[in-house]
Amino acid sequence: MPTNHAPLVPAPTHLTPHSGHFTLHTETTIRATPGAEPAAALLRTLLSPATGLPLPLSANGPVVFALDPQPDATGEEGYRLTVAPESVLLRATGLPGLLNGIQTLRQLLPAAALAGTPQPGPWRLPCLEITDEPRHPWRGLLLDVARHFQPVSFLRRYVDLLALHKLNVLHLHLTDDQGWRMPVTAFPRLTEVGGRRAESMVGPAGSRRFDGIPHEGAYSKDELTGLVAYAAARGVTVVPEIDMPGHTRAALAAYPELGNVPGRRLDVWTRWGVCETVLGVHEPVLDFCRTVLDEVLDVFPSRHVHIGGDECPTTEWAVSDAARARAAAEGLPDTDALHGWFLGRIGAYLTERGRVPTAWAENGEGLPPECAVMTWRDPEHTRIALKRGHAVISAQHRSAYLDYAQSSGPAEPQAQPGAVVDLRAVHGHTPPDDTDTPGRLLGLQAALWTEFAPTPGNVDYLTFPRLCALADRAWHGTPSWPGFRARLRAHAARLATLGVRRGPLDPHVPDPHVLDPHVLDPHVRIPTASEGNSHEQDDQAPARPR
């Protein structure tokens, strides 16, 4: 693909450039075939702030959006786009394909068309033909709002950024030891108590320094249902994650009776790392989980519902009379086996309600076959999980965890210790071939855990431009690294227009458009990596693999 003609991110499957332009102007109208009207409405919504173009519907408009009733090689999310001097034709088998084509049209226009305020034209599209379809059906980003809460306005902005890059899943990590953000009518203390912690750790897991600043936040049901609708209109599915049976300290602070030690009172955890307090396995706990999930299903129509499942220490179960009795009653060999038993019970509950339980796992061992698996530690685990019969999403931490530093430079802000995940590593995220297990590899996902990203500016800096690299890999499958670098340099103008406070395109080359990451948000300063490494450590603190 000629990168100087249409530097699109992600790269389209096939692009043929032609000479000339089509110009959008105040008299331009859109003809939409039945079912294509939402795509026309979305283009109008997205372009209006910058261009002021009304783009009304008409019976003979030169811009045509068409749902093609005949299936073709592009599939449900693919599209065909032809731009000629006098007309534009965008057609697809399904509405998701039209919505992806809308994002291509946006990128083909000058970067100013992405602005939120009026800009001068002209608004020209280069003449070309594109036939495009994604390599993977799941192309996502996990955003952790449990460690650091972000308002729903910020989440909507991120939905728009995902859609621009043809990413179609926003995975919301809504609960953890450090905070509970999901409202549950039957258990109001989950957000009233579990949504607030007294302070936050400064530095990596095991640091003995804290900021002394309370942190709190929770969403309303209306906010979340509104987010889901906003995302759906842009072709993005919001997948909720409610962590269990570990990563539940915030829930236990709100409802101690859900734990393993009768009468114990806990606070919402202020540290990072893996907390040893986990849910009990008595029947009221399972009732609690079912009630929470019922509310989740009411809010989130996504086919997949994530139940966490990882990093669940079994220490408390081993010394609990109730847990030992439960293991014996279920015929389990020991209390360690309660982990798989618990996820099996919860997974079956979701399956009965027509959803796909999804969990973190190294290779799927111990999980029921109907559970989709997110593999994160080793690419070999993806192969194993596929062979076990699981549907798999690849989220390898060495190429998709955006809380790791982007470089080893001394000015890099503090990040998760243990690795550097640079732009090329993300672009190289290639899951194992699924030839022997067709259809089971769902796709790729990046993950931004937010211990070191308390504010929107910090989130931007860690996410971009690395998320552009994952989008390129997830959509195209085999894009070249030099081609991506060339397209990214042009794409940077789009990110700047959208106000994205990105990291450097190349940490070794001065970039005047990168703001100092330590002052992205003046009221919160993130220490440098060297400052973080100087913190006094607690030798007993567990490592945090995700």
Side-chain angles (χ1 to χ4, degrees):
M1 184 190 75
T3 56
N4 61 343
H5 183 81
L8 302 174
V9 178
T13 310
H14 300 287
L15 185 152
T16 302
H18 298 298
S19 60
H21 293 84
F22 176 89
T23 301
L24 295 168
H25 51 76
T26 56
E27 303 302 317
T28 301
T29 59
I30 299 175
R31 177 162 65 90
T33 66
E37 297 90 350
L42 179 61
L43 182 67
R44 191 179 306 114
T45 296
L46 294 173
L47 293 187
S48 178
T51 69
L53 296 174
L55 299 176
L57 293 177
S58 73
N60 57 356
V63 178
V64 180
F65 294 164
L67 285 178
D68 190 337
Q70 299 299 319
D72 59 27
T74 62
E76 181 74 5
E77 286 195 282
Y79 63 94
R80 297 179 186 274
L81 174 64
T82 301
V83 179
E86 303 299 327
S87 64
V88 175
L89 172 61
L90 173 63
R91 62 188 181 95
T93 302
L95 181 59
L98 291 181
L99 298 180
N100 284 322
I102 291 298
Q103 301 301 335
T104 296
L105 288 171
R106 293 180 74 203
Q107 289 198 25
L108 289 172
L109 288 166
L114 304 178
T117 56
Q119 304 292 318
W123 306 112
R124 292 175 176 171
L125 294 166
C127 291
L128 46 67
E129 292 180 69
I130 291 176
T131 300
D132 205 6
E133 62 179 322
R135 169 68 178 86
H136 297 290
W138 184 300
R139 307 175 305 279
L141 169 70
L142 174 144
L143 185 59
D144 170 14
V145 293
R147 270 55 175 256
H148 280 105
F149 176 80
Q150 299 294 346
V152 74
S153 58
F154 176 82
L155 300 185
R156 289 188 175 215
R157 173 176 176 264
Y158 254 65
V159 163
D160 281 320
L161 289 170
L162 294 184
L164 177 68
H165 294 87
K166 298 186 177 68
L167 295 166
N168 63 351
V169 175
L170 174 61
H171 173 176
L172 277 186
H173 185 73
L174 289 162
T175 70
D176 214 296
D177 297 312
Q178 298 87 359
W180 186 287
R181 315 301 177 195
M182 171 75 199
V184 180
T185 304
F187 297 101
R189 287 174 58 84
L190 286 173
T191 52
E192 293 169 359
V193 175
R196 184 183 191 277
R197 64 175 180 267
E199 57 185 356
S200 303
M201 178 172 280
V202 176
S207 167
R208 292 175 179 165
R209 292 179 55 194
F210 295 82
D211 62 10
I213 302 171
H215 182 82
E216 63 183 313
Y219 302 106
S220 69
K221 187 173 182 178
D222 286 346
E223 284 180 323
L224 292 175
T225 54
L227 174 67
V228 167
Y230 185 90
R234 288 152 177 77
V236 176
T237 298
V238 183
V239 172
E241 180 177 355
I242 306 296
D243 235 321
M244 59 182 78
H247 287 284
T248 52
R249 175 69 172 258
L252 295 172
Y255 295 98
E257 64 272 19
L258 300 173
N260 293 283
V261 181
R264 179 177 59 180
R265 307 295 298 184
L266 296 167
D267 56 4
V268 177
W269 218 36
T270 58
R271 298 173 53 186
W272 312 136
V274 180
C275 183
E276 288 195 351
T277 54
V278 301
L279 291 176
V281 291
H282 41 298
E283 204 59 36
V285 173
L286 296 174
D287 290 338
F288 164 80
C289 292
R290 297 184 192 105
T291 300
V292 169
L293 289 173
D294 283 344
E295 191 113 357
V296 169
L297 301 187
D298 284 344
V299 173
F300 298 96
S302 60
R303 183 166 179 259
H304 291 79
V305 174
H306 209 297
I307 54 176
D310 68 326
E311 297 179 340
C312 178
T314 58
T315 307
E316 290 192 342
W317 291 343
V319 297
S320 164
D321 291 339
R324 288 196 295 263
R326 170 67 85 174
E330 299 293 337
L332 302 175
D334 51 38
T335 52
D336 287 350
L338 287 168
H339 178 257
W341 169 86
F342 191 106
L343 293 178
R345 291 282 297 270
I346 297 302
Y349 187 76
L350 289 171
T351 301
E352 290 166 3
R353 280 146 186 79
R355 305 300 181 94
V356 178
T358 308
W360 296 100
E362 294 190 5
N363 57 29
E365 184 176 2
L367 293 176
E370 65 271 15
C371 188
V373 170
M374 277 188 179
T375 55
W376 54 271
R377 188 183 283 277
D378 191 301
E380 183 60 28
H381 294 157
T382 302
R383 295 187 183 91
I384 294 171
L386 288 169
K387 289 179 179 179
R388 290 183 188 277
H390 294 284
V392 179
I393 302 102
S394 177
Q396 301 303 314
H397 71 297
R398 292 298 181 114
S399 56
Y401 273 30
L402 306 184
D403 55 331
Y404 286 129
Q406 301 179 68
S407 78
S408 56
E412 187 72 12
Q414 188 181 103
Q416 198 62 242
V420 170
V421 175
D422 61 17
L423 191 64
R424 184 156 195 175
V426 179
H427 196 260
H429 184 175
T430 306
D433 190 287
D434 63 343
T435 304
D436 296 332
T437 56
R440 291 185 195 161
L441 180 63
L442 299 183
L444 310 183
Q445 180 165 292
L448 180 58
W449 309 101
T450 58
E451 290 96 326
F452 305 105
T455 70
N458 304 128
V459 173
D460 272 12
Y461 184 85
L462 290 173
T463 304
F464 291 98
R466 290 185 290 182
L467 191 64
C468 304
L470 184 117
D472 205 48
R473 175 64 63 181
W475 180 272
H476 191 282
T478 57
S480 74
W481 169 246
F484 169 70
R485 289 294 304 278
R487 286 181 285 112
L488 184 63
R489 284 193 288 271
H491 189 64
R494 302 182 187 117
L495 298 179
T497 300
L498 290 165
V500 174
R501 291 163 284 187
R502 62 171 173 84
L505 303 183
D506 185 336
H508 305 294
V509 177
D511 189 337
H513 300 292
V514 175
L515 300 176
D516 183 345
H518 309 295
V519 294
L520 288 173
D521 298 279
H523 63 288
V524 178
R525 181 181 180 277
I526 302 299
T528 63
S530 59
E531 289 174 309
N533 292 336
S534 70
H535 294 156
E536 185 178 7
Q537 298 292 306
D538 178 355
D539 294 337
Q540 301 305 311
R544 173 194 175 273
R546 75 157 181 85

